[in-house]
């Protein structure tokens, strides 16, 4: 099963409509895809990966292998309620928490700031394309996510260390992501990420040439009224390698009120005979305006009885 690859270069030429259709299909049928020619500086991405790997080796690795998680595995217990990962979470917007991490090098701070500035632009571009594909105004997702302080952006920086007993533990247990749009810069050597599709686990290969792996979270599913679904995924532990994962979340702010976009809601609470009456005169016309009329009729009906 080949994970969809969206080439963002093609959005500027005659293949724009075809590329947008590919993106729409990836969001509807998969809930995850890769982006190439995304506009994020690839040298910068290499630097981020190098600095995070260095930080892990120097600061995090020893304490991980001395942790309760590692000890539980040494005792050969099945560790079903823990994750074999070493991670920390950085908030970038609306406010940064990077100063709380006194052991992060100045170089990593600056590089991460540069990277997030570029990634934020990519997330906004993606959100606009999703809106266009759903028939919403271009800035609908951004506005819906904004609350008082604009969308919130954070990054989970994780390493999935080499694991002596990978059959006993998951790197990260099965879950869907709570937020909006997730952009993942991942390892180019070590596998482990898997997504659930059509009753089977799809193995996501390591990202070659710094393509960005994207998946949609629960809030996009709610906002799109179920058109774009969040997908169950997990990370498998690996005996031979230590996997890098830098996942940036473009999420609603904490005070944002999320609901399905009204344009995407189907009409509800109508009598079938009322629909048939309208259908009789509009049978050979597009169903969209018919649904819209029924929606308005249902809204009128609700307000009369409110």
């Amino acid at each position: 099963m080949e994970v969809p690859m969206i080439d963002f270069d093609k959005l500027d030429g005659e293949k724009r409509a075809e590329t947008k259709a590919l993106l729409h299909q990836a969001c509807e049928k998969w809930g995850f895809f890769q982006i190439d020619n995304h506009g994020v500086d690839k040298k910068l991405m290499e630097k981020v990966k190098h600095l995070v790997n260095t930080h892990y080796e120097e600061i995090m690795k020893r304490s991980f292998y001395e942790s309760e998680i590692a000890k539980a595995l040494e005792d050969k217990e099945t560790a079903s309620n823990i994750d074999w990962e070493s991670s920390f979470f950085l908030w970038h917007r609306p406010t940064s928490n990077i100063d709380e991490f006194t052991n992060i090098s100045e170089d990593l701070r600056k590089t991460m700031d540069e990277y997030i500035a570029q990634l934020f632009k990519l997330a906004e571009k993606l959100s606009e394309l999703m809106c266009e594909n759903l028939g919403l105004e271009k800035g609908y997702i951004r506005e819906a996510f904004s609350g008082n302080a604009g969308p919130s952006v954070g990054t989970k920086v994780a390493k999935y260390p080499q694991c002596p007993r990978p059959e006993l533990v998951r790197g990260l247990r099965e879950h869907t992501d709570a937020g909006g749009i997730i952009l993942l810069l991942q390892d180019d050597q070590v596998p482990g990420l898997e997504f659930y599709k059509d009753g089977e686990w799809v193995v996501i290969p390591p990202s070659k040439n710094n393509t960005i792996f994207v998946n949609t979270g629960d809030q996009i599913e709610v906002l799109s009224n179920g058109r774009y679904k969040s997908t169950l995924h997990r990370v498998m532990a690996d005996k031979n390698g230590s996997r890098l994962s830098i996942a940036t979340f473009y999420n609603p702010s904490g005070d944002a009120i999320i609901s399905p976009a009204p344009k995407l809601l189907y009409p509800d609470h109508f009598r079938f005979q009322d629909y048939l009456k309208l259908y009789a005169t509009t049978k050979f016309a597009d169903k969209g305006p018919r649904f819209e009329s029924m929606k308005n009729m249902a809204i009128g009906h609700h307000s009369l009885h409110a």
Side-chain angles (χ1 to χ4, degrees):
M1 218 184 276
E2 192 80 15
V3 179
M5 176 74 80
I6 315 296
D7 183 350
F8 265 34
D9 262 359
K10 293 182 178 170
L11 286 166
D12 296 328
E14 57 195 32
K15 297 214 163 162
R16 181 177 172 82
E18 188 186 315
T19 307
K20 274 176 59 184
L22 263 178
L23 175 65
H24 185 52
Q25 190 180 28
C27 291
E28 268 197 329
K29 306 269 189 272
W30 293 71
F32 55 97
F33 50 92
Q34 297 178 82
I35 309 178
D36 200 9
N37 297 314
H38 40 63
V40 180
D41 184 334
K42 294 199 173 183
K43 279 186 183 161
L44 181 62
M45 295 168 85
E46 281 300 322
K47 192 173 178 186
V48 169
K49 291 196 291 188
H50 169 71
L51 290 170
V52 168
N53 277 328
T54 303
H55 179 78
Y56 168 73
E57 291 294 330
E58 291 176 357
I59 309 288
M60 299 166 73
K61 184 175 181 177
R62 186 174 165 190
S63 60
F64 176 79
Y65 284 112
E66 288 172 355
S67 70
E68 294 304 314
I69 295 171
K71 282 176 188 155
L73 220 61
E74 275 172 25
D75 298 337
K76 306 199 175 26
E77 296 169 19
T78 301
S80 58
N81 60 344
I82 59 168
D83 302 310
W84 187 263
E85 71 169 2
S86 178
S87 67
F88 58 94
F89 199 95
L90 296 172
W91 282 110
H92 314 292
R93 296 174 186 228
T95 50
S96 170
N97 71 343
I98 202 159
D99 289 338
E100 293 167 22
F101 296 89
T102 52
N103 58 9
I104 290 180
S105 72
E106 195 55 37
D107 203 3
L108 179 51
R109 285 163 200 255
K110 279 187 182 162
T111 307
M112 189 57 93
D113 280 348
E114 280 177 54
Y115 171 65
I116 292 302
Q118 293 191 22
L119 213 61
F120 184 73
K121 284 182 187 163
L122 177 60
E124 301 251 281
K125 186 175 180 180
L126 249 178
S127 77
E128 288 178 358
L129 288 165
M130 286 180 186
C131 287
E132 284 179 45
N133 277 337
L134 288 165
L136 300 170
E137 301 80 21
K138 219 168 162 183
Y140 190 91
I141 290 174
R142 183 177 60 242
E143 288 301 312
F145 279 16
S146 281
N148 288 319
S152 99
V153 180
T155 299
K156 180 182 174 184
V157 179
K159 285 285 284 189
Y160 295 93
Q162 257 182 299
C163 181
R165 301 291 305 276
E167 71 282 0
L168 296 181
V169 70
R170 292 267 188 272
L172 185 60
R173 286 161 287 165
E174 293 77 358
H175 66 288
T176 60
D177 288 326
I181 299 171
I182 299 88
L183 300 103
L184 174 67
L185 172 56
Q186 67 159 344
D187 209 290
D188 57 6
Q189 301 292 325
V190 184
L193 183 61
E194 297 184 352
F195 271 71
Y196 197 69
K197 176 172 164 42
D198 301 336
E200 60 181 285
W201 287 100
V202 179
V203 174
I204 309 300
S207 291
K208 300 295 178 196
N209 198 27
N210 283 324
T211 54
I212 287 177
F213 183 86
V214 179
N215 68 288
T216 47
D218 297 346
Q219 304 317 303
I220 294 292
E221 179 164 337
V222 171
L223 196 137
S224 69
N225 199 30
R227 288 280 293 280
Y228 291 175
K229 292 196 167 38
S230 59
T231 309
L232 205 60
H233 54 285
R234 66 188 183 186
V235 178
M236 305 303 280
D238 193 283
K239 195 165 193 165
N240 305 311
S242 177
R243 179 178 172 270
L244 174 68
S245 165
I246 302 166
T248 300
F249 298 81
Y250 178 79
N251 283 355
S253 71
D255 62 342
I257 305 298
I258 303 296
S259 61
K263 264 193 182 176
L264 303 180
L265 287 172
Y266 274 92
D268 63 357
H269 293 88
F270 57 80
R271 287 185 309 175
F272 183 49
Q273 70 187 52
D274 291 334
Y275 186 81
L276 281 179
K277 198 186 291 181
L278 181 62
Y279 182 79
T281 58
T282 60
K283 178 175 181 176
F284 300 106
D286 179 47
K287 70 186 172 194
R290 191 157 64 232
F291 281 173
E292 203 55 43
S293 297
M294 295 312 296
K295 210 188 289 186
N296 293 336
M297 202 184 291
I299 289 164
H301 180 77
H302 285 327
S303 53
L304 280 176
H305 292 81

